[in-house]
Amino acid sequence: MVSIATAQPNLINLAAPLENRYRQVRQMSEHICQPLAIEDYQIQSIPDVSPPKWHLAHTTWFFETFILIPYLPGYTVFHPQFGYLFNSYYEAVGARHPRHQRGLLSRPTVAEVYRYRAHVDRSMMTLLSATPIDPDLADLIILGLHHEQQHQELLITDIKHILALNPLHPIYRDDLHPHPPDLGSKFEWLAYPGGLYSIGAESHEFAFDNESPRHQTYLQDYKLGSRLVTNSEYLEFIHAGGYQESKYWLAEGWMTVQSQQWRSPLYWEKIDGEWWVMTLSGLKKLESNEPVCHVSFYEADAYATWQGKRLPTEAEWEIAVTNMPQVGNFLDSDLLHPTPANTSHHQFFGDVWEWTQSAYLPYPGFQVADGAIGEYNGKFMCNQMVLRGGSCATSANHIRPTYRNFFPPSTRWQFSGIRLASY
Amino acid sequence: MVSIATAQPNLINLAAPLENRYRQVRQMSEHICQPLAIEDYQIQSIPDVSPPKWHLAHTTWFFETFILIPYLPGYTVFHPQFGYLFNSYYEAVGARHPRHQRGLLSRPTVAEVYRYRAHVDRSMMTLLSATPIDPDLADLIILGLHHEQQHQELLITDIKHILALNPLHPIYRDDLHPHPPDLGSKFEWLAYPGGLYSIGAESHEFAFDNESPRHQTYLQDYKLGSRLVTNSEYLEFIHAGGYQESKYWLAEGWMTVQSQQWRSPLYWEKIDGEWWVMTLSGLKKLESNEPVCHVSFYEADAYATWQGKRLPTEAEWEIAVTNMPQVGNFLDSDLLHPTPANTSHHQFFGDVWEWTQSAYLPYPGFQVADGAIGEYNGKFMCNQMVLRGGSCATSANHIRPTYRNFFPPSTRWQFSGIRLASY
Amino acid sequence: MVSIATAQPNLINLAAPLENRYRQVRQMSEHICQPLAIEDYQIQSIPDVSPPKWHLAHTTWFFETFILIPYLPGYTVFHPQFGYLFNSYYEAVGARHPRHQRGLLSRPTVAEVYRYRAHVDRSMMTLLSATPIDPDLADLIILGLHHEQQHQELLITDIKHILALNPLHPIYRDDLHPHPPDLGSKFEWLAYPGGLYSIGAESHEFAFDNESPRHQTYLQDYKLGSRLVTNSEYLEFIHAGGYQESKYWLAEGWMTVQSQQWRSPLYWEKIDGEWWVMTLSGLKKLESNEPVCHVSFYEADAYATWQGKRLPTEAEWEIAVTNMPQVGNFLDSDLLHPTPANTSHHQFFGDVWEWTQSAYLPYPGFQVADGAIGEYNGKFMCNQMVLRGGSCATSANHIRPTYRNFFPPSTRWQFSGIRLASY
Amino acid sequence: MVSIATAQPNLINLAAPLENRYRQVRQMSEHICQPLAIEDYQIQSIPDVSPPKWHLAHTTWFFETFILIPYLPGYTVFHPQFGYLFNSYYEAVGARHPRHQRGLLSRPTVAEVYRYRAHVDRSMMTLLSATPIDPDLADLIILGLHHEQQHQELLITDIKHILALNPLHPIYRDDLHPHPPDLGSKFEWLAYPGGLYSIGAESHEFAFDNESPRHQTYLQDYKLGSRLVTNSEYLEFIHAGGYQESKYWLAEGWMTVQSQQWRSPLYWEKIDGEWWVMTLSGLKKLESNEPVCHVSFYEADAYATWQGKRLPTEAEWEIAVTNMPQVGNFLDSDLLHPTPANTSHHQFFGDVWEWTQSAYLPYPGFQVADGAIGEYNGKFMCNQMVLRGGSCATSANHIRPTYRNFFPPSTRWQFSGIRLASY
């Protein structure tokens, strides 16, 4: 896997004044898009993917709709129809353009979207320079920044998908140096004692609503693999006929394998008997000791079943990593200077998201926020699985032990991999 | 809702000799089909539904495949292709007829299927009369009987669906007397203290594999409604615009409401301004105080959200009912003499299945059985929600506090209803 | 191909009193269904196919709706909802049950449908015994009888499809003796001079509206094959890679071959290296010299292209057969005594329908009839191809040189074959 | 309707040296795209539409594949995978990118496609400057130019569709002056005598293969409307409930009206009780006396049926226009100076294509060309209807009386309208 992040000190400083932080996050989104051709900004390769242009506009619409319109007196909306075009799923805010048709809009042009961003950024600067900022408003702005950081990760996964389906194998950036952690030689089982634990976010730190409330949960004794499953380990599963044997698979997983004709993870290609993989730096030979990536929950679960093991629950995962130093390969603002990740510790963050066996459900006592912001997370709590840990496409200061990512079990275009668990 | 069961002493006796019990369960399936026209046995009204003929044959195939062929020396298979036609989903047993085409097979005829049943029953009697029965074999036969009882419930739900979609509103049996529990006047919140509890089946009783192992779980303090939500209460939700307001719904639920144009529970029809409902005894006026039935998980969850409440978790439900006497309206072998259910206790069993907010997932330490029988439950642990409690279509001696029923969240043709929970 | 008709004197006499003729046609429909199990009456194997029960009821509905209700004073409708259930496509007559859901109705039962037929037949006898019958009414009744004869052909094609998809290979009747015309040795080109000709029905004979008006058309010199293409000739096309080579196919045909994975005509099965074919008498070895049957227009056209030839136009076909004696294997009322067809003449009628290269379009001056009857043919004049000649499933007295059958080009479940043409 | 063509002397001269003509046609394609933003080049709004970038590359691929590779010694292919990406439907030339995924390719960029054009144009100039050009090769080049002119028309229809679906109503060019012919006051029936006529292309002029051979056909006496049906006439059909009454429609047309919810021609929008229409110059008020445009064959046929009339056959149309001067609004190379069309004659060419009631079928004696070029027209002769006359988006020197355009009957994004016929 191509790492596109570093463990060096964050350039985006959580403690920095909000104004600085706003500017840094917003610049990061544009920095990610800098290598794109205008044409790349347009594509919606599958319904899950949004055109990069849309991400740039939608994150801007979030600040315009939830902050500038209600809180900045005299603010002038940039374009009366952008609310319709760039609302993602907030029913309370009104009608919106159908999601699967985002790739059909040539207008506004990319240049207009950048002007939209500049317009909103100028107004946000006006708002932020007025002192003091009300704490509730500050919280809303910080939510907007986390929202934009989520879309930065989606930008990277979506750009990868857009380029990878192109038979010309275009390169996003060729200065991204792969630096696979040497995972191959060091697997061990880490044992954790059962008992009553607390998980979930403390109320004094930023967290999304779905990480709350912090609550007690009971765990059996359990063990986690000390590292992620590697490409060479996953290849053994393929060679053992993993994709041909129904017995390793959930019923829905097996149906998906057959209807989609899956024979390997997404982006793998067998050329003249050798495995290659499409990366953000183009087509590369498969690296044995990198973590396997772009597998669905179905594949992660089938691999674990084949091994006679299972996936961790999200509580097991969270308890295991609590108090561990946060290391790994994350997205950083300075994409030009990636450096090797520190792998001396057991790697739980960065690299790839780790599928858990937990369905994405509300924590005991979960409360949906009032208003449109309440649509942020709760309404997706059905038919999705939790992933933990963050990936090389996740912003370093965006990740934390309590973070709950979630996707349907068939999802493969995210940077998602496998950690084994056992009793 | 039409009750088709009684609380009178079970005619199927769990303690009876296996031979008797086998005969009783098998007769019950045929008893359920007795009011059908030959034509009714053929229909697959939606892919979820199987033709009654298929249920009769498939449950027979189970005994033939898993018991007679391996355990009865000299057993002659009834028809060489019935294995292909009547395997439901056991991949390990070989190829099978596509599920959604079950309604396209006019042959074998209904008469042939009854001959198939008689052939297998005779051989089973031969096997059972040989003494002694090996305990492992006995367990397998008991599993087969529970399997057939599950299909008896499906027979009733499927027959209801087959007849209900017919514009002629045919009647299954008109001697089923509705006897709604007087639910309307007695709602109260039952409070339960939090703490560490054990749930799941004890190993010395019959249970499906998915009920094991018994394990500890931690609960917050919680409350459950003392009775199910009634039709009149659900009508308030409809009148309040429940089906028009996205904010009460999970995102997938809202999409389903719109694509399926749901405006009420399944089987409800508004005729000249009044609500009617299709029952096994034909079209009837909606009864205010009966429990609302044939709602999906999406509708159950939306109703609870509208009320500012939630659905119970399966652990909350199981702890609440443990040690409670098992009462309710269940399917009994003597369908001709339904009697009013005992409703003096808080009703947790029978009437309708209760949607929980728990996804259907393996219990900690869950082990899949070896061989084809291992496909029984585990492979469906994805994108389904747990229901608890049993319905009027469930056999009385088939239900127990630890029983985990499960269906996709959009399912409506089951007898499924709503109990509210709260912290 | 199994012939199910004879060339012996017609039992249905066109010159007979209308009462006799009505009785004979109606009895024929029931005679065709006599070998069926109740279960067979229910099946809609593909949307094109209707359950035999539906055909029996729909043809009855035609007489009830268009004749008894308007013309028999005091007639009592058999069931108020049968109009909804058994209208096929007459928009003017009101709402109707969706076509693709005809197989989902277990009620009315088969017995009820036969009672419906008896009820309508009794009333028709009352009407017909009143003298004299108004000529317009007589024409309408004769139309109803031709309509029923069309459905008799559909009954046979549909029954064949219903049984053929069943893995048990059930037999409709095993007393149908195959008697392939000895086609293999006698192919020759029959030449016809070009010029100005008249085609279409004379106004003094019964014909469907789409056969009128008789009109002039100009033909080039042309040649027709003296007999139909045989199974062995078609096998050569298969062996030559016909189903693998796009160049023989129309673009839509090639797409269909690939999406449907066609590799041979419908009902052919290769078992242990030998070709078998499912017939009304069960699975039989493929007969070399029988006409190839159950091919789509796409396959007929591709075969002709592979041969460097083409299909006839409907005008070429009609001019060629005009004044020829009408011979062939047709459906007759006495299905129990099939006799060899007279093949001394060039066979243009019976055996199989012959695909033409003519799209189904209105003749110059075509006028749609007023009222619901006007929906009979005209509204289907789009995206269908004309077939000529009749098949072994066509009633002998129902066929004539001007008869225009029509189906979409992908249709295969009809008895349809190939005659070559050339300039 | 916005006219984008003139009747002024053609800038593309059919008699000019092939080199000049090649250059003019190729420049015209780029000229059409000149007003586009880079983003507009990418969009495939429906599967029928191709991204403008694709048209520019595909027409270039045609010259590279069929002319430069076989005929220019030493020619270097521009990019080895462009053959895969830009083959439209030529099976004989090898695998190709799926048609419905043309909008998913961001690369090659628009700039690269223009470099591809320049590369091929330079090589074509090398080839053309070598004297003498073999006549067969010249014919192939002329075919390539006609092919590119067809795609110029598609470019305009596709650009219109791409912009029209955008809620921002973008403008292609605002200097296109609408100049509706004053059609409203002059309708009359033009009568033509029946008889034996010849239609089809003479062999000494350029024509596509489907226009040959010239052959005799017999016509009844007939009449054609002297002008096209206007918007205000079509509005009467709408106001009379035309889209609500099944009786005017072909069965497939009526199904399409209902499934697509058609209530007016494509691009019409009712805003505050007034009809507007999306044009290449943006949203405009509907002009009463312009020809109705963007109707499907189904709508054209339904309108004619409502009028008690019919559509012309292609032979009737061709005979009527033969020997008439070719006038109308066609696409011309100088799009900047549209001038009013000469409407003193009866308008049969330009403005809009005229749906005929003729299915698209081979003429008697039609021969498919050998090789890949043979796939040009013949393989589409199924389930399509013929249109005649050309539209404002058709190149003036590309149209002729024998030209047979063809589209499926549901097609609406072409500039297609209605002329009435009668006997």
Side-chain angles (χ1 to χ4, degrees), chain A residues 37-40 42-45 79 81 84-85 97 103-110 162-163 165-168 170, chain D residues 37-40 42-45 79 81 84-85 103-110 162-163 165-168 170:
Chain A
I38 295 292
E39 290 87 341
D40 300 327
Q42 283 295 121
I43 308 292
Q44 182 170 35
S45 46
H79 191 293
Q81 287 190 271
Y84 174 79
L85 292 178
H97 192 68
L104 304 186
L105 297 177
S106 58
R107 315 295 179 92
T109 62
V110 173
I162 289 164
L163 298 179
L165 71 78
N166 193 310
L168 303 179
Chain D
I38 295 292
E39 290 87 342
D40 300 328
Q42 283 295 122
I43 308 292
Q44 182 168 36
S45 46
H79 191 293
Q81 286 190 270
Y84 174 80
L85 292 179
L104 304 187
L105 297 177
S106 59
R107 313 294 179 93
T109 62
V110 172
I162 289 164
L163 298 179
L165 72 78
N166 193 310
L168 303 179

Side-chain angles (χ1 to χ4, degrees), chain B residues 35-46 53 79 81-82 84-85 97 101 103-112 162-163 165-171, chain C residues 35-46 53 79 81-82 84-85 97 101 103-112 162-163 165-171:
Chain B
L36 300 184
I38 296 292
E39 290 87 341
D40 300 327
Y41 283 91
Q42 282 297 121
I43 309 292
Q44 182 170 35
S45 46
I46 48 172
K53 184 174 80 177
H79 191 294
Q81 286 190 271
F82 280 16
Y84 174 79
L85 291 178
H97 192 69
Q101 294 182 10
L104 303 186
L105 298 177
S106 57
R107 314 294 179 89
T109 62
V110 172
E112 282 174 283
I162 289 163
L163 298 179
L165 71 78
N166 193 310
L168 303 179
H169 293 128
I171 289 168
Chain C
L36 300 184
I38 296 291
E39 291 88 341
D40 300 327
Y41 283 91
Q42 283 296 122
I43 308 293
Q44 183 170 34
S45 46
I46 48 173
K53 184 174 80 177
H79 191 293
Q81 287 189 270
F82 280 16
Y84 174 80
L85 292 178
H97 192 68
Q101 295 182 10
L104 304 186
L105 297 178
S106 58
R107 313 295 179 91
T109 62
V110 173
E112 281 174 284
I162 289 164
L163 298 179
L165 71 78
N166 193 309
L168 303 179
H169 293 128
I171 290 168

Side-chain angles (χ1 to χ4, degrees), chain A residues 228-245:
Chain A
L228 297 162
V229 171
T230 64
N231 283 333
S232 65
E233 286 166 340
Y234 196 82
L235 262 175
E236 287 173 45
F237 171 65
I238 295 177
H239 293 151
Y243 284 92
Q244 280 79 46
E245 270 283 6

